[in-house]
Amino acid sequence: MGYNVAIDGPAGAGKSTIAKLVAKEKGYIYVDTGALYRGLAVHFLDMGVSPEDRTGIIGAVKSADVTIQYEDGAQQVYLNGKNITARLRDEAVGNMASMSSAIPEVRAHLLALQQNMAREKDVIMDGRDIGTCVLPDADVKVFLTAGVKTRAKRRYDELTQKGVACDLAEIEKDIRDRDERDMTRETAPLKQAKDAVLIDSSHMSIEEVAAAIVALCK
């Protein structure tokens, strides 16, 4: 039985960055949901299914087994036992992943894959509904958040460092709007699980947040 850590929280809270640090420190597998969707996309393309063929995708997904492993510190994605990592960034794969990920049957299959991985391996996952829906029995649950202004400033700094022109007030509005959508959506809304530990990272460094979560783990 795997040891499971679930990190939920709003956009810009630093979930993925923190999860990767904790995974490295503890030797867990960080489950990258986007990579799993791309892995399924490779399967659909190999089966000769087009992105517009909804029926074909629903039929093909049943025979796909996608897993993530870390080898020499690097994430590797396997499809039915074969390493397909080198193919994940192909444009055709990205297009297929974008279209197929909206299909409920694909999302349900991915949920099953995530839960199977969690049963077999020590994993850490981050998202909006990990502790409430994907891994309701996780050993450690964290709700990671930060003030809207803090999250907006982090995003602003990230973009400006890349040379991207942006407006702080507009970023703040986008984050507020996204929070509202995430918390009020009908399917798996963003909310803190009853047994999750609340961590507000507004005045904490990345290293401090990671250390706090590591301290919660076995």
Side-chain angles (χ1 to χ4, degrees), residues 92-105:
V93 171
N95 290 337
M96 174 62 86
S98 178
M99 297 187 71
S100 61
S101 63
I103 300 174
E105 288 84 354

Side-chain angles (χ1 to χ4, degrees), residues 108-157:
H109 187 75
L110 185 54
L111 174 63
L113 288 174
Q114 289 174 305
Q115 292 175 334
N116 286 338
M117 288 179 65
R119 276 192 289 270
E120 298 170 1
K121 304 176 185 296
D122 298 337
V123 304
I124 181 167
M125 297 188 196
D126 69 275
R128 304 288 191 277
D129 64 343
I130 307 301
T132 53
C133 299
V134 180
L135 299 179
D137 299 319
D139 299 277
V140 174
K141 295 182 185 179
V142 172
F143 191 84
L144 179 62
T145 189
V148 172
K149 290 185 180 298
T150 298
R151 288 184 278 140
K153 183 61 166 60
R154 288 173 181 172
R155 181 60 175 160
Y156 175 82
D157 290 344

